[in-house]
Amino acid sequence: MQKTQRHLTISSRFNGPPGSGNGGVSSGLAASLIDGPAEVFLRAPPPLDTPLDVIALDDGSFEIRHGDQLVMTVHPADPLGPPPSAPSFAIAGKGHKSFPSRDTHAFPDCFVCGPDRTEDGLCLFTGHAEGFDGVTDVWTPAADLADENGLVRPEIIWGALDCPGAFAVGFQENPMVLARIVCQIHSRPKAGDTLIVAGWGLYHDGRKHGAITALFDKDGTLLAQSDQLWIELKKPAA
């Protein structure tokens, strides 16, 4: 193991649960160290506005650390298999109608799905819509989420793929946090494009829940996808 001189910092704008980074955006920043599909394990809540050490491993993987605390590990990943087809744009536009109310949202300040972040968040309110077996919403990325070429930054795409998986497996009933995500970006959209985001539940195993998510253009062409593991938070003792 060799310590590099690189550091990674997660801006406080990109929070998920209070005081820590959104799992998708944090993972996407870590995945910038990998060329191609990447797998990220979140081992501890990513701290915000804090330089994190990047540790290169001999096998091409990396550890992201805050002092002695392991925060994330990132590894090259195999390409993902194709997800289910996109819902129609008309159906996707109805998903937000069944999104949980603010009063029942565990993390209403989340950058990706928080109803309190309508000014600077992604406002992805994925819900169930009649005629579709997952959760879905439409999304138009803002200009400040793009790079110098006008393309949505990769870590923002990872973020957009994050929270829909939680709502696909029941976040509204059982708050949970992202533990593992594999993401593959096929084509980055431009800021201002009209997009479809969708998520599907895969399995439930005790407090572990599996999901897949995908980002499509308005016509249903696949742009990016993820495979996820979520861990349900322990309920407080009675």
Side-chain angles (χ1 to χ4, degrees), residues 83-84 160-161 164 196-200 212-216 222-226:
L161 291 170
I196 297 170
V197 182
W200 299 264
I212 55 176
T213 64
L215 177 68
F216 304 92
L222 179 66
L223 301 176
Q225 61 186 114
S226 80

Side-chain angles (χ1 to χ4, degrees), residues 29 93 102 132 176 197:
L29 289 168
R102 185 207 179 279
F132 184 60
M176 55 190 77
V197 182

Side-chain angles (χ1 to χ4, degrees), residues 204-228:
H204 304 277
D205 180 13
R207 290 174 50 232
K208 298 179 180 179
H209 307 274
I212 55 176
T213 64
L215 177 68
F216 304 92
D217 69 13
K218 186 177 181 180
D219 297 322
T221 300
L222 179 66
L223 301 176
Q225 61 186 114
S226 80
D227 181 280
Q228 307 173 353

Side-chain angles (χ1 to χ4, degrees), residues 169 202-210 229-232:
V169 293
L202 286 181
Y203 63 85
H204 304 277
D205 180 13
R207 290 174 50 232
K208 298 179 180 179
H209 307 274
L229 170 65
W230 291 84
I231 303 296
E232 190 176 321

Side-chain angles (χ1 to χ4, degrees), residues 124-146:
L124 278 172
F125 305 137
T126 48
H128 295 280
E130 185 176 355
F132 184 60
D133 62 356
V135 296
T136 186
D137 194 11
V138 297
W139 178 45
T140 302
D144 66 347
L145 304 175

Side-chain angles (χ1 to χ4, degrees), residues 59-85:
D59 64 357
S61 301
F62 295 86
E63 292 182 350
I64 312 300
R65 289 183 169 271
H66 181 210
D68 293 333
Q69 174 68 63
L70 178 62
V71 177
M72 292 181 282
T73 59
V74 55
H75 314 268
D78 293 329
L80 293 170
S85 298

